[in-house]
Every structure is written in structure tokens, then in C-alpha cells.
Amino acid sequence: GENVEQHPSTLSVQEGDSAVIKCTYSDSASNYFPWYKQELGKRPQLIIDIRSNVGEKKDQRIAVTLNKTAKHFSLHITETQPEDSAVYFCAASLAGGTSYGKLTFGQGTILTVHP
Amino acid sequence: NAGVTQTPKFRILKIGQSMTLQCTQDMNHNYMYWYRQDPGMGLKLIYYSVGAGITDKGEVPNGYNVSRSTTEDFPLRLELAAPSQTSVYFCASSYLQMNTEAFFGQGTRLTVV
């Protein structure tokens, strides 16, 4: 089945700096790559996603890039703010058959933004 | 529109007891999932369902059972609770055809003592 590796496990930045989190996936059939943010004690919530027919997607300070050949995708947060502090999860979804839509998550990255 | 609702929010079980974690969604999503999240760790898929009457195992199904008799409900059953099942459990749902966002419930924090 699909395996998603996420790095780094922890990331500490100063307010205003950029943060980059990277993920690799194993199954070339995966075609949907969402990123979730989980604040302490709360549920994961989608912040951005990308599909395999797109190389890059931006939403204000957040961007995601996808390299299908290398099977990796990254989350970029610019001008970080203290409220960006949270755990971020990448995920990959398989396409085809009964595995369609089954999300496999990475291990998570704890992002801390220092004021 | 409530989204995905899980009950209970907290529960303490003794070893060997059983319980059912309830999950219901009102978005008419066909896909539903159960994940567990151990402290400081990621989300591991326990079971998932592509529609009423259809369920399949995820990465960590041992010790759990599920059923999906309706589109809305996807309960998770623990038959013989063990300390290794201490975790936070999240139910989620999504819409199959568009491979879109999974919406999560607020989670159930389970402690087995």
C-alpha cells in the first residue's frame, strides 16, 4: 500500500521567516495530496490540496508544489505568524478500485513560530 | 449543518471492557474513515467504508470492528479493550467521486486502564 514520509518532524522558525515541509510518497497511482493543520487538542483541518495534474498551487501565504516524477510534494508557508504554530500533516490518496479516496498520512511536523 | 459528529468526547475503559464509538455525518458523504492518533504521532487508518454495506481494513484494524448500515453512521467497536488502544480516535468523511477534502469529527479521547 501507500507509504508517506514527512520531514522534518519538528521545525522552529522566527516570525516572518518561511517554513518548508516535505513529503514523499511511494505509490505512483496517488493523485490527490492534501495538507492538514491540527492545532493543539483540535481536529485536523484542510489548509490546501493539490491534484496530480497541477504542479503548484497557492493560497495567500501558503503554497504547495508537486513533483510527480520524484514522487514528492512540499508545503511552503511564507511570512510565518505565531498563529501558524501547529502540527501539519501531509497525505496522499490512491486512485482506482476500492482504494480510491483512502487517505494515507505522513507522521506530522510540529511547527513553532517564535514572536 | 453539523458536519461529522463523534460521541463520546472522552472515555475511560477498564482492560477487557467493550465500547462503541459513534460517528455520524450529515453531508451525504459516501466515504467514511476511522483513524487513531497516538500522542505525538500521525494518523493511522483503522477501517474505512466506501458506502453503506461496504467496509475494509486499514493499517491497524486488529482489536476493532466496524459496520456501515446507513450512509450517515459509521460506528467503531472495541470488543476487548487493551492499554495499547489508548489513543485519540478521529472519524472522517469525504465525497468519493471528486477525491475531495476529508472532514474530521472532534475526536474521542480514550484511555484504557
Side-chain angles (χ1 to χ4, degrees):
Chain A
E2 176 69 282
N3 183 50
V4 179
E5 297 286 335
Q6 182 172 346
H7 299 281
S9 56
T10 60
L11 180 58
S12 185
V13 300
Q14 289 297 126
E15 183 176 1
D17 287 349
S18 295
V20 180
I21 303 170
K22 298 182 179 181
C23 289
T24 60
Y25 61 99
S26 60
D27 194 323
S28 56
S30 291
N31 67 351
Y32 176 62
F33 308 93
W35 286 88
Y36 284 81
K37 177 183 180 182
Q38 185 179 29
E39 296 176 347
L40 189 63
K42 297 194 174 179
R43 73 190 82 186
Q45 292 193 295
L46 182 76
I47 54 171
I48 195 167
D49 57 14
I50 192 167
R51 289 173 174 78
S52 59
N53 58 347
V54 175
E56 183 176 359
K57 184 177 178 181
K58 275 188 174 181
D59 182 3
Q60 299 183 327
R61 296 186 296 109
I62 294 172
V64 58
T65 58
L66 172 65
N67 183 327
K68 285 184 63 180
T69 303
K71 290 190 283 187
H72 68 71
F73 55 113
S74 300
L75 177 71
H76 305 254
I77 305 175
T78 59
E79 300 172 21
T80 54
Q81 300 166 4
E83 50 265 40
D84 294 329
S85 296
V87 182
Y88 291 81
F89 292 99
C90 64
S93 181
L94 289 166
T98 58
S99 292
Y100 194 84
K102 182 177 70 172
L103 282 174
T104 300
F105 283 87
Q107 299 87 338
T109 297
I110 301 172
L111 173 64
T112 304
V113 181
H114 299 282
Chain B
N1 191 335
V4 181
T5 302
Q6 287 181 239
T7 55
K9 290 185 180 179
F10 305 93
R11 183 71 185 269
I12 298 174
L13 275 183
K14 292 185 178 179
I15 295 172
Q17 286 185 322
S18 61
M19 76 164 295
T20 298
L21 282 66
Q22 301 292 345
C23 176
T24 188
Q25 54 92 9
D26 61 2
M27 296 174 283
N28 201 32
H29 286 168
N30 43 12
Y31 242 91
M32 295 188 77
Y33 321 77
W34 274 106
Y35 291 91
R36 60 175 286 173
Q37 185 177 34
D38 297 332
M41 304 292 286
L43 294 149
K44 299 285 188 183
L45 183 64
I46 305 171
Y47 271 95
Y48 67 105
S49 169
V50 303
I54 305 170
T55 63
D56 207 349
K57 295 178 181 179
E59 300 174 72
V60 290
N62 291 342
Y64 307 95
N65 276 299
V66 293
S67 60
R68 184 93 182 270
S69 56
T70 66
T71 299
E72 295 77 21
D73 300 307
F74 190 42
L76 178 72
R77 179 83 177 161
L78 283 72
E79 289 295 347
L80 291 170
S84 61
Q85 293 178 305
T86 294
S87 190
V88 178
Y89 292 82
F90 286 100
C91 178
S93 72
S94 67
Y95 186 53
L96 172 66
Q97 279 76 2
M98 298 301 292
N99 211 359
T100 55
E101 174 181 1
F103 290 86
F104 284 80
Q106 74 272 35
T108 296
R109 186 175 295 276
L110 175 67
T111 303
V112 182
V113 296

